[in-house]
Amino acid sequence: IYPSYPDRYNSFSDLVNKLDAHFDSTRQKFSLYYISPYSNSNQELEEIIGQSKLLNKYDQLNTFLYNTFGVLSIDIIKNKPMLKTEKDYIDLSQFGQGIKSFINYIGSLSLLENTQIFIDEIENGIHYTNFDKLWEVILTISKEQNVQVFATTHSKECIESYARVAKRLKDDEIA
């Protein structure tokens, strides 16, 4: 706990209670607050896309996707997540797991405000050359949305990338 920011930081027990309230491990359910390497189902992506449209954040989601991957937009067509490129819509399954993870992170962060998000094994499916992009997007959106991010990783490269990007963005509120 950091006494100078009592409303911004949480004790460990507060975080555990919040995580328990938002994620029930006995049921596979969509949660913006907890993302695991197995949280990238089509149903979850449908929820993110639908919620972003309802909350007028769909354009923001697509802007991040364009700036990160050069795709124009994401949408659900014939019950499948599709990415619009310069030429056509392409089924998201034609891309790697990394882009699904990015979309899940970007979408969840964009929809949350003034809260916390837990990302387990953040590096899974993402090539190490994309770690800087990942952290730049996460640090940028989380600051805009006032979302405290807790991420786990076993990757030294991912941790080094995090430190590098935080330094470049002059983000002093990291640990």
Side-chain angles (χ1 to χ4, degrees):
I1 299 175
Y2 296 88
S4 60
Y5 302 103
D7 59 333
R8 187 130 189 237
Y9 296 98
N10 296 277
S11 70
F12 180 74
S13 60
D14 288 340
L15 295 174
V16 169
N17 289 336
K18 287 181 182 193
L19 183 57
D20 285 344
H22 293 296
F23 182 74
D24 177 357
S25 63
T26 62
R27 292 184 291 153
Q28 291 291 328
K29 71 176 193 174
F30 172 70
S31 173
L32 292 172
Y33 301 92
Y34 176 82
I35 301 172
S36 81
Y38 314 104
S39 297
N40 295 318
S41 74
N42 286 353
Q43 179 184 1
E44 290 162 343
L45 292 171
E46 286 178 39
E47 291 281 340
I48 287 171
I49 293 166
Q51 283 293 101
S52 68
K53 287 179 178 181
L54 288 172
L55 298 173
N56 295 317
K57 302 228 175 173
Y58 183 66
D59 290 338
Q60 178 188 26
L61 173 62
N62 286 319
T63 298
F64 277 110
L65 290 175
Y66 180 77
N67 291 339
T68 307
F69 299 105
V71 292
L72 299 176
S73 65
I74 185 171
D75 213 336
I76 301 297
I77 300 172
K78 295 184 179 182
N79 297 321
K80 293 182 180 181
M82 306 281 277
L83 296 177
K84 183 166 176 50
T85 64
E86 294 291 333
K87 297 179 182 179
D88 296 314
Y89 279 96
I90 299 174
D91 190 327
L92 182 59
S93 67
Q94 299 298 312
F95 296 86
Q97 181 63 32
I99 194 167
K100 278 181 134 178
S101 294
F102 261 94
I103 292 167
N104 207 350
Y105 302 153
I106 292 168
S108 294
L109 280 167
S110 296
L111 296 173
L112 296 173
E113 288 183 288
N114 307 314
T115 191
Q116 302 80 32
I117 187 170
F118 301 85
I119 305 173
D120 190 24
E121 299 180 31
I122 194 167
E123 79 283 358
N124 271 8
I126 297 175
H127 195 268
Y128 74 94
T129 58
N130 289 320
F131 287 160
D132 282 13
K133 278 189 210 177
L134 171 71
W135 286 117
E136 187 169 338
V137 168
I138 288 175
L139 292 173
T140 301
I141 299 174
S142 65
K143 188 165 283 285
E144 290 171 3
Q145 299 293 104
N146 191 34
V147 174
Q148 191 175 13
V149 177
F150 295 86
T152 66
T153 183
H154 294 101
S155 167
K156 179 182 176 198
E157 294 85 1
C158 190
I159 294 168
E160 289 169 346
S161 172
Y162 170 75
R164 185 173 49 249
V165 171
K167 183 177 180 180
R168 186 175 66 236
L169 295 176
K170 297 181 174 134
D171 192 339
D172 299 330
E173 297 180 357
I174 63 162

